[in-house]
Amino acid sequence: MKYYLLFFLIGVILFTGCKDSKKDQKGTFIGGQIMNPYNPYFVLSKDNKTIDTLFLDQNNQFGKKLEDIEPGIYSFKHPPENQIMYLEPGDSVLVWLNTMQFDESLNFSGTGAAKSSFLLDMFLNNERNNNMMLSYYKINPTEFAEITDSIKKSRKNKLKALNEKEKFSESFLELANNSIDYDFYHLRERYTFLVKKYYNELAQQIPDDFNSYRKDLNFNDTQLKEYYGYLNFIEDHLRTLSIERCLDELDTNSNCFELHSVENIQYRINLADSLIEQNEIKNIFINRLAIQGLVFSNNAEKIDSILGILDRINYKGENLPHLKQMATIQKRLLPGNNIGNLPLVSFEDEIVRLEDISNKKIVTYHWSLQAPEHYKWQHSIIANLREKYPELEFVGINIDEGSKQAWRNTVQAYNMNKNREYKLNSPDININLLKNYLNKLIFLDTNGTIINGKAQLNTPNFERQILEFLNE
């Protein structure tokens, strides 16, 4: 099948190559094939703006020549999945993937494809490094420095060897080298955060030059604003600085160690506002931090204080109306409020109220088809909790708008308990805002009144919260 598609690509390239104008020669061809597609389209975008939507034919193939493509990182989506690629005028790139293993199966070929393949390889290596952190962040700082130095050197050597073969443009070489640097910085920053927050003995052993890269940071690199490693670094850097402030300036008992406290959120928002000049980058982090602050606020005063922070820095980002809507949603989910009348759609397509699902106390968890890794992980944990706490009713709520059949297919494909899986039926609620609640669970008494609206599956005290809920 891949060979058949390769002939398809060659044919298109030959056809478009017959044209003589410089404009045509500078065009960029994008084609591909998606096995087991979720939907019939492939969306190319940049800076959160859609460049084009390419539709799949009867063979699940797509292809189009695009004009006026600027060199840089582009995002492509086959909802709910997405990835990045690097495009320049004159490239003819073929994308092949199987949705059953989206990132692992993804393959780029054709003229200019080596750039996207390099970025994909970086992504997969970073995923492995994230797992590595779980084992390595407790080791001596000097050893960790050696490991990260080795990773950086290996990637630089690979890029150098690849460039000798591919003759990359200067713009891509600059981006690739910077991306390696910021991935390296990210590893160092995560380690610094973890040991300073949790392992003071190791923190005391961090060499003076461990974070020497900080003097060379550029928080306004618009070329990297679509590169996840760069954005992840800035997010972790702000987080680390907030912890260092606690250690250096404040009482160690201060709640600024609590990342979701209003004090910590305010400090990081002010940092982002002062360190980042480019609004398109700055607003990414102010928006993220405000969302965190709102989602984890447990009273109306804290919610209002987060909005107050935005007002004091004169935040005018396009997401401000959404943040205000989110503040309203969060106020509805505070303890003491009743959501028993929330309408849901059952697997059998019947409308039911949340309070009528069970006579037991209820724990709701929330998921989206657009976050497959999340719902697989989440449902595995929920299955164990159901066995461990039969006194509780664990109710799954899918937040996606529409897509009823896709929802049912997923419930069946992953052997979810279809008698306890429901779909949200509230058209007045902004679905995109609800995605920020995927990590939260809501504890309800038998009358539908919220007892706890801030529990998370991935926190150390989660089961203690369950026991307290059972004993109330």
Side-chain angles (χ1 to χ4, degrees):
M1 188 66 75
K2 287 186 185 181
Y3 293 111
Y4 175 77
L5 185 57
L6 183 59
F7 288 126
F8 161 74
L9 173 64
I10 292 172
V12 174
I13 294 173
L14 290 175
F15 175 75
T16 56
C18 291
K19 299 181 181 180
D20 294 326
S21 73
K22 291 184 178 180
K23 182 178 180 181
D24 285 324
Q25 292 173 7
K26 291 182 179 179
T28 303
F29 177 79
I30 301 174
Q33 184 176 44
I34 299 176
M35 306 301 294
N36 303 303
Y38 294 124
N39 47 66
Y41 50 86
F42 174 101
V43 182
L44 185 71
S45 63
K46 187 171 180 60
D47 302 332
N48 292 318
K49 296 178 182 178
T50 299
I51 303 298
D52 210 331
T53 299
L54 285 64
F55 289 91
L56 278 59
D57 64 15
Q58 66 274 16
N59 296 313
N60 298 329
Q61 297 174 1
F62 60 93
K64 187 174 183 179
K65 189 169 185 178
L66 305 174
E67 306 294 346
D68 302 321
I69 288 289
E70 297 180 359
I73 294 179
Y74 288 75
S75 297
F76 65 87
K77 298 179 181 178
H78 179 68
E81 305 280 9
N82 64 86
Q83 252 300 347
I84 61 172
M85 62 195 304
Y86 192 95
L87 295 174
E88 291 179 297
D91 285 349
S92 298
V93 180
L94 177 68
V95 180
W96 189 94
L97 64 89
N98 188 329
T99 61
M100 301 299 287
Q101 286 188 305
F102 190 92
D103 294 321
E104 292 76 11
S105 69
L106 183 57
N107 180 273
F108 298 100
S109 58
T111 305
K115 296 171 294 212
S116 297
S117 296
F118 178 82
L119 293 179
L120 175 62
D121 189 47
M122 291 272 287
F123 171 82
L124 295 174
N125 282 328
N126 287 338
E127 290 288 290
R128 287 187 281 270
N129 287 339
N130 285 337
N131 294 330
M132 175 196 78
M133 285 294 296
L134 298 177
S135 302
Y136 285 173
Y137 73 86
K138 296 180 183 179
I139 68 175
N140 180 284
T142 303
E143 292 180 64
F144 188 84
E146 292 174 355
I147 292 171
T148 51
D149 284 339
S150 176
I151 291 172
K152 180 181 178 181
K153 182 178 179 180
S154 174
R155 291 187 179 187
K156 293 279 188 177
N157 288 340
K158 181 174 182 178
L159 177 62
K160 182 179 178 181
L162 199 57
N163 183 48
E164 291 176 357
K165 175 182 177 183
E166 301 289 341
K167 308 300 180 186
F168 292 133
S169 65
E170 288 300 318
S171 60
F172 176 74
L173 272 178
E174 180 183 3
L175 181 140
N177 274 297
N178 286 339
S179 66
I180 292 172
D181 289 339
Y182 279 98
D183 284 336
F184 166 77
Y185 302 158
H186 187 215
L187 287 172
R188 290 286 183 97
E189 206 70 30
R190 286 187 67 194
Y191 179 89
T192 303
F193 166 77
L194 288 168
V195 298
K196 288 194 173 183
K197 183 166 171 49
Y198 299 110
Y199 299 99
N200 185 57
E201 182 179 343
L202 286 175
Q204 300 303 317
Q205 301 175 40
I206 294 179
D208 291 339
D209 62 349
F210 190 83
N211 301 116
S212 60
Y213 56 82
R214 288 182 178 178
K215 66 181 184 298
D216 299 319
L217 298 177
N218 178 4
F219 297 101
N220 301 288
D221 193 333
T222 54
Q223 189 186 31
L224 284 174
K225 67 180 181 294
E226 302 244 5
Y227 183 64
Y228 39 78
Y230 178 65
L231 299 180
N232 289 343
F233 164 75
I234 294 178
E235 183 169 19
D236 273 13
H237 181 61
L238 297 175
R239 186 175 65 170
T240 307
L241 292 181
S242 75
I243 296 301
E244 291 177 347
R245 171 178 176 254
C246 289
L247 293 170
D248 296 339
E249 302 176 18
L250 303 173
D251 188 325
T252 54
N253 294 320
S254 169
N255 70 348
C256 70
F257 276 98
E258 173 51 57
L259 293 175
H260 299 125
S261 71
V262 173
E263 183 180 6
N264 188 286
I265 293 291
Q266 178 174 355
Y267 181 71
R268 283 189 282 164
I269 286 178
N270 287 333
L271 270 179
D273 188 46
S274 62
L275 291 176
I276 308 172
E277 297 176 1
Q278 289 284 345
N279 283 332
E280 55 193 320
I281 299 176
K282 177 192 295 189
N283 290 346
I284 290 173
F285 296 99
I286 292 178
N287 186 60
R288 285 184 186 179
L289 289 164
I291 287 173
Q292 289 179 36
L294 292 172
V295 168
F296 290 96
S297 291
N298 56 9
N299 59 56
E301 291 74 20
K302 288 184 179 179
I303 294 171
D304 291 337
S305 68
I306 296 297
L307 295 181
I309 295 168
L310 300 180
D311 186 56
R312 283 194 293 277
I313 67 168
N314 198 29
Y315 177 65
K316 301 295 184 183
E318 62 180 16
N319 287 313
L320 183 58
H322 295 157
L323 294 173
K324 290 180 177 180
Q325 290 179 41
M326 194 161 189
T328 300
I329 292 174
Q330 182 62 20
K331 286 181 179 180
R332 293 178 189 172
L333 298 177
L334 293 176
N337 290 341
N338 190 292
I339 59 171
N341 284 322
L342 183 70
L344 303 171
V345 180
S346 72
F347 192 84
E348 289 74 26
D349 206 25
E350 297 176 348
I351 301 297
V352 298
R353 294 189 306 171
L354 180 57
E355 66 182 357
D356 294 333
I357 289 175
S358 176
N359 292 323
K360 302 176 183 178
K361 291 181 177 181
I362 289 176
V363 176
T364 68
Y365 56 96
H366 320 98
W367 60 282
S368 169
L369 294 170
Q370 297 187 33
E373 293 305 316
H374 176 269
Y375 69 66
K376 293 173 193 175
W377 165 82
Q378 177 194 58
H379 280 78
S380 173
I381 296 176
I382 292 296
N384 292 328
L385 291 172
R386 280 198 174 107
E387 291 186 11
K388 194 170 183 179
Y389 301 103
E391 312 96 311
L392 298 176
E393 198 69 77
F394 291 88
V395 175
I397 301 178
N398 176 264
I399 66 168
D400 298 309
E401 190 172 13
S403 307
K404 283 186 181 179
Q405 193 54 53
W407 164 62
R408 291 192 187 94
N409 291 344
T410 302
V411 169
Q412 290 183 314
Y414 291 96
N415 296 316
M416 300 176 188
N417 186 337
K418 63 182 181 180
N419 295 321
R420 288 297 176 261
E421 291 293 340
Y422 296 84
K423 190 166 181 56
L424 190 65
N425 188 50
S426 298
D428 61 319
I429 299 179
N430 187 318
I431 301 302
N432 287 325
L433 297 180
L434 293 182
K435 291 177 183 176
N436 297 297
Y437 289 87
L438 294 184
N439 286 326
K440 294 187 70 174
L441 297 95
I442 299 175
F443 295 2
L444 306 167
D445 67 14
T446 54
N447 296 316
T449 299
I450 298 173
I451 304 301
N452 182 348
K454 63 177 183 179
Q456 291 189 88
L457 280 178
N458 57 343
T459 55
N461 66 345
F462 173 68
E463 292 206 44
R464 177 176 59 78
Q465 293 182 72
I466 286 186
L467 294 174
E468 290 175 354
F469 178 48
L470 282 172
N471 292 327
E472 287 186 353

Short mmCIF file of all heavy atoms in Angstrom, two decimals, residues 78-116:
data_model
loop_
_atom_site.label_atom_id
_atom_site.label_comp_id
_atom_site.label_asym_id
_atom_site.label_seq_id
_atom_site.Cartn_x
_atom_site.Cartn_y
_atom_site.Cartn_z
N HIS A 78 -5.54 15.02 12.43
CA HIS A 78 -6.55 14.06 11.99
C HIS A 78 -7.31 13.77 13.27
O HIS A 78 -6.98 12.83 13.99
CB HIS A 78 -5.92 12.81 11.39
CG HIS A 78 -6.94 11.80 10.95
ND1 HIS A 78 -7.78 12.03 9.89
CD2 HIS A 78 -7.28 10.58 11.44
CE1 HIS A 78 -8.58 10.98 9.74
NE2 HIS A 78 -8.31 10.10 10.67
N PRO A 79 -8.27 14.67 13.60
CA PRO A 79 -8.91 14.62 14.93
C PRO A 79 -9.33 13.22 15.34
O PRO A 79 -9.90 12.50 14.51
CB PRO A 79 -10.11 15.54 14.76
CG PRO A 79 -9.71 16.49 13.69
CD PRO A 79 -8.88 15.67 12.73
N PRO A 80 -9.00 12.80 16.59
CA PRO A 80 -8.52 13.65 17.67
C PRO A 80 -7.00 13.77 17.78
O PRO A 80 -6.50 14.36 18.71
CB PRO A 80 -9.06 12.92 18.90
CG PRO A 80 -9.00 11.48 18.52
CD PRO A 80 -9.37 11.44 17.07
N GLU A 81 -6.25 13.20 16.81
CA GLU A 81 -4.79 13.19 16.91
C GLU A 81 -4.19 14.39 16.19
O GLU A 81 -4.81 14.99 15.30
CB GLU A 81 -4.23 11.90 16.31
CG GLU A 81 -4.80 10.62 16.89
CD GLU A 81 -4.14 10.25 18.21
OE1 GLU A 81 -3.37 11.07 18.75
OE2 GLU A 81 -4.41 9.14 18.70
N ASN A 82 -2.94 14.72 16.56
CA ASN A 82 -2.24 15.81 15.88
C ASN A 82 -0.74 15.62 16.03
O ASN A 82 -0.27 14.91 16.93
CB ASN A 82 -2.68 17.16 16.43
CG ASN A 82 -2.30 17.34 17.89
OD1 ASN A 82 -1.19 17.77 18.21
ND2 ASN A 82 -3.22 17.02 18.78
N GLN A 83 0.00 16.26 15.15
CA GLN A 83 1.46 16.24 15.19
C GLN A 83 1.97 17.47 14.47
O GLN A 83 1.19 18.31 14.01
CB GLN A 83 2.02 14.96 14.55
CG GLN A 83 2.61 13.95 15.50
CD GLN A 83 3.78 14.47 16.33
OE1 GLN A 83 4.34 15.52 16.05
NE2 GLN A 83 4.15 13.72 17.35
N ILE A 84 3.31 17.59 14.37
CA ILE A 84 3.90 18.72 13.68
C ILE A 84 4.77 18.23 12.53
O ILE A 84 5.19 17.07 12.49
CB ILE A 84 4.74 19.61 14.62
CG1 ILE A 84 5.91 18.81 15.22
CG2 ILE A 84 3.88 20.23 15.69
CD1 ILE A 84 6.90 19.67 16.01
N MET A 85 5.03 19.13 11.57
CA MET A 85 5.92 18.85 10.47
C MET A 85 6.59 20.17 10.07
O MET A 85 6.12 21.25 10.45
CB MET A 85 5.18 18.23 9.29
CG MET A 85 4.12 19.11 8.69
SD MET A 85 2.96 18.21 7.59
CE MET A 85 4.07 17.45 6.42
N TYR A 86 7.69 20.06 9.33
CA TYR A 86 8.40 21.26 8.88
C TYR A 86 8.28 21.33 7.36
O TYR A 86 8.60 20.37 6.66
CB TYR A 86 9.88 21.22 9.29
CG TYR A 86 10.59 22.54 9.09
CD1 TYR A 86 10.71 23.44 10.14
CD2 TYR A 86 11.11 22.90 7.85
CE1 TYR A 86 11.35 24.67 9.98
CE2 TYR A 86 11.75 24.12 7.67
CZ TYR A 86 11.87 25.00 8.73
OH TYR A 86 12.49 26.22 8.56
N LEU A 87 7.84 22.49 6.87
CA LEU A 87 7.64 22.65 5.43
C LEU A 87 8.37 23.88 4.92
O LEU A 87 8.48 24.90 5.61
CB LEU A 87 6.15 22.80 5.12
CG LEU A 87 5.25 21.59 5.41
CD1 LEU A 87 3.79 21.95 5.18
CD2 LEU A 87 5.66 20.40 4.56
N GLU A 88 8.86 23.76 3.68
CA GLU A 88 9.48 24.87 2.97
C GLU A 88 9.00 24.84 1.52
O GLU A 88 8.60 23.78 1.02
CB GLU A 88 11.01 24.76 3.01
CG GLU A 88 11.62 24.96 4.39
CD GLU A 88 13.13 24.81 4.37
OE1 GLU A 88 13.62 23.71 4.06
OE2 GLU A 88 13.82 25.80 4.66
N PRO A 89 9.04 25.98 0.82
CA PRO A 89 8.69 25.98 -0.61
C PRO A 89 9.54 24.98 -1.37
O PRO A 89 10.74 24.86 -1.15
CB PRO A 89 9.02 27.42 -1.04
CG PRO A 89 8.87 28.23 0.21
CD PRO A 89 9.36 27.34 1.32
N GLY A 90 8.89 24.23 -2.25
CA GLY A 90 9.59 23.22 -3.04
C GLY A 90 9.52 21.83 -2.46
O GLY A 90 9.85 20.85 -3.13
N ASP A 91 9.08 21.69 -1.21
CA ASP A 91 8.95 20.37 -0.58
C ASP A 91 7.80 19.59 -1.21
O ASP A 91 6.78 20.16 -1.62
CB ASP A 91 8.70 20.50 0.92
CG ASP A 91 9.94 20.90 1.69
OD1 ASP A 91 11.03 20.88 1.10
OD2 ASP A 91 9.82 21.24 2.89
N SER A 92 7.95 18.28 -1.27
CA SER A 92 6.88 17.37 -1.68
C SER A 92 6.87 16.23 -0.67
O SER A 92 7.64 15.27 -0.77
CB SER A 92 7.14 16.82 -3.09
OG SER A 92 7.15 17.87 -4.04
N VAL A 93 6.01 16.36 0.32
CA VAL A 93 6.06 15.48 1.49
C VAL A 93 4.86 14.55 1.51
O VAL A 93 3.71 14.96 1.33
CB VAL A 93 6.09 16.30 2.80
CG1 VAL A 93 6.14 15.38 4.01
CG2 VAL A 93 7.30 17.23 2.80
N LEU A 94 5.15 13.29 1.72
CA LEU A 94 4.14 12.25 1.83
C LEU A 94 4.02 11.81 3.30
O LEU A 94 5.02 11.54 3.95
CB LEU A 94 4.55 11.04 0.98
CG LEU A 94 3.65 9.80 1.03
CD1 LEU A 94 2.32 10.09 0.39
CD2 LEU A 94 4.34 8.64 0.34
N VAL A 95 2.81 11.81 3.81
CA VAL A 95 2.54 11.42 5.19
C VAL A 95 1.80 10.09 5.18
O VAL A 95 0.77 9.95 4.50
CB VAL A 95 1.67 12.48 5.91
CG1 VAL A 95 1.40 12.06 7.34
CG2 VAL A 95 2.32 13.84 5.85
N TRP A 96 2.30 9.13 5.92
CA TRP A 96 1.61 7.83 6.06
C TRP A 96 1.48 7.53 7.54
O TRP A 96 2.44 7.69 8.31
CB TRP A 96 2.40 6.71 5.38
CG TRP A 96 1.64 5.41 5.30
CD1 TRP A 96 0.88 4.97 4.26
CD2 TRP A 96 1.57 4.39 6.31
NE1 TRP A 96 0.32 3.75 4.54
CE2 TRP A 96 0.73 3.36 5.80
CE3 TRP A 96 2.11 4.24 7.58
CZ2 TRP A 96 0.44 2.20 6.52
CZ3 TRP A 96 1.82 3.10 8.31
CH2 TRP A 96 1.00 2.09 7.78
N LEU A 97 0.28 7.11 7.95
CA LEU A 97 0.10 6.76 9.36
C LEU A 97 -1.06 5.80 9.52
O LEU A 97 -1.92 5.67 8.66
CB LEU A 97 -0.12 8.02 10.20
CG LEU A 97 -1.37 8.86 9.93
CD1 LEU A 97 -2.56 8.40 10.77
CD2 LEU A 97 -1.09 10.33 10.23
N ASN A 98 -1.04 5.13 10.66
CA ASN A 98 -2.12 4.23 11.05
C ASN A 98 -2.64 4.74 12.40
O ASN A 98 -1.88 4.85 13.36
CB ASN A 98 -1.59 2.80 11.19
CG ASN A 98 -2.70 1.79 11.42
OD1 ASN A 98 -3.73 2.09 12.01
ND2 ASN A 98 -2.49 0.56 10.94
N THR A 99 -3.91 5.07 12.46
CA THR A 99 -4.45 5.66 13.69
C THR A 99 -4.37 4.72 14.88
O THR A 99 -4.47 5.16 16.03
CB THR A 99 -5.92 6.09 13.51
OG1 THR A 99 -6.71 4.93 13.18
CG2 THR A 99 -6.05 7.11 12.39
N MET A 100 -4.19 3.41 14.63
CA MET A 100 -4.09 2.47 15.75
C MET A 100 -2.84 2.74 16.58
O MET A 100 -2.80 2.45 17.77
CB MET A 100 -4.07 1.03 15.23
CG MET A 100 -5.31 0.66 14.41
SD MET A 100 -6.84 0.78 15.36
CE MET A 100 -6.68 -0.65 16.43
N GLN A 101 -1.80 3.30 15.93
CA GLN A 101 -0.58 3.72 16.63
C GLN A 101 -0.10 4.99 15.94
O GLN A 101 0.86 4.98 15.18
CB GLN A 101 0.50 2.64 16.57
CG GLN A 101 0.25 1.44 17.48
CD GLN A 101 1.43 0.51 17.51
OE1 GLN A 101 1.90 0.03 16.47
NE2 GLN A 101 1.95 0.24 18.69
N PHE A 102 -0.76 6.07 16.23
CA PHE A 102 -0.60 7.30 15.45
C PHE A 102 0.86 7.76 15.38
O PHE A 102 1.46 7.80 14.30
CB PHE A 102 -1.47 8.40 16.06
CG PHE A 102 -1.58 9.63 15.21
CD1 PHE A 102 -2.62 9.76 14.31
CD2 PHE A 102 -0.65 10.66 15.32
CE1 PHE A 102 -2.73 10.91 13.52
CE2 PHE A 102 -0.76 11.80 14.53
CZ PHE A 102 -1.81 11.92 13.63
N ASP A 103 1.46 8.11 16.51
CA ASP A 103 2.83 8.64 16.50
C ASP A 103 3.86 7.60 16.09
O ASP A 103 4.81 7.89 15.36
CB ASP A 103 3.19 9.20 17.88
CG ASP A 103 2.35 10.41 18.25
OD1 ASP A 103 2.09 11.24 17.37
OD2 ASP A 103 1.94 10.52 19.43
N GLU A 104 3.66 6.36 16.57
CA GLU A 104 4.65 5.31 16.31
C GLU A 104 4.65 4.88 14.84
O GLU A 104 5.68 4.47 14.31
CB GLU A 104 4.38 4.10 17.21
CG GLU A 104 4.62 4.34 18.68
CD GLU A 104 3.52 5.16 19.36
OE1 GLU A 104 2.46 5.37 18.71
OE2 GLU A 104 3.71 5.57 20.51
N SER A 105 3.49 4.94 14.18
CA SER A 105 3.41 4.50 12.80
C SER A 105 3.71 5.63 11.81
O SER A 105 3.97 5.38 10.63
CB SER A 105 2.02 3.95 12.50
OG SER A 105 1.04 4.98 12.51
N LEU A 106 3.67 6.87 12.27
CA LEU A 106 3.81 8.03 11.40
C LEU A 106 5.12 7.98 10.62
O LEU A 106 6.19 7.75 11.18
CB LEU A 106 3.74 9.31 12.25
CG LEU A 106 3.80 10.64 11.52
CD1 LEU A 106 2.71 10.76 10.48
CD2 LEU A 106 3.71 11.78 12.53
N ASN A 107 5.00 8.20 9.31
CA ASN A 107 6.17 8.11 8.43
C ASN A 107 6.11 9.24 7.41
O ASN A 107 5.06 9.47 6.80
CB ASN A 107 6.20 6.75 7.74
CG ASN A 107 7.39 6.60 6.82
OD1 ASN A 107 7.34 6.99 5.65
ND2 ASN A 107 8.47 6.03 7.34
N PHE A 108 7.23 9.93 7.22
CA PHE A 108 7.33 10.99 6.21
C PHE A 108 8.28 10.54 5.11
O PHE A 108 9.34 9.95 5.40
CB PHE A 108 7.87 12.28 6.83
CG PHE A 108 7.02 12.87 7.91
CD1 PHE A 108 7.34 12.66 9.25
CD2 PHE A 108 5.90 13.62 7.60
CE1 PHE A 108 6.57 13.21 10.26
CE2 PHE A 108 5.11 14.17 8.61
CZ PHE A 108 5.45 13.97 9.94
N SER A 109 7.93 10.83 3.87
CA SER A 109 8.83 10.53 2.76
C SER A 109 8.67 11.59 1.68
O SER A 109 7.73 12.38 1.71
CB SER A 109 8.54 9.12 2.19
OG SER A 109 7.21 9.02 1.76
N GLY A 110 9.60 11.59 0.74
CA GLY A 110 9.55 12.58 -0.32
C GLY A 110 10.55 13.70 -0.11
O GLY A 110 11.29 13.74 0.89
N THR A 111 10.59 14.64 -1.04
CA THR A 111 11.53 15.76 -0.97
C THR A 111 11.24 16.64 0.24
O THR A 111 10.12 17.12 0.41
CB THR A 111 11.41 16.61 -2.25
OG1 THR A 111 11.62 15.79 -3.39
CG2 THR A 111 12.44 17.74 -2.23
N GLY A 112 12.24 16.82 1.08
CA GLY A 112 12.08 17.67 2.26
C GLY A 112 11.54 16.95 3.48
O GLY A 112 11.40 17.55 4.55
N ALA A 113 11.22 15.65 3.35
CA ALA A 113 10.60 14.92 4.46
C ALA A 113 11.55 14.69 5.62
O ALA A 113 11.10 14.48 6.75
CB ALA A 113 10.06 13.59 3.96
N ALA A 114 12.85 14.72 5.36
CA ALA A 114 13.81 14.43 6.43
C ALA A 114 13.69 15.43 7.58
O ALA A 114 13.97 15.10 8.73
CB ALA A 114 15.24 14.45 5.88
N LYS A 115 13.27 16.64 7.29
CA LYS A 115 13.11 17.66 8.36
C LYS A 115 11.99 17.25 9.32
O LYS A 115 12.16 17.30 10.54
CB LYS A 115 12.81 19.02 7.73
CG LYS A 115 13.94 19.56 6.86
CD LYS A 115 13.54 20.79 6.09
CE LYS A 115 12.48 20.45 5.06
NZ LYS A 115 12.49 21.23 3.85
N SER A 116 10.86 16.84 8.75
CA SER A 116 9.75 16.41 9.60
C SER A 116 10.09 15.12 10.33
O SER A 116 9.70 14.93 11.49
CB SER A 116 8.49 16.21 8.76
OG SER A 116 8.08 17.43 8.18
#
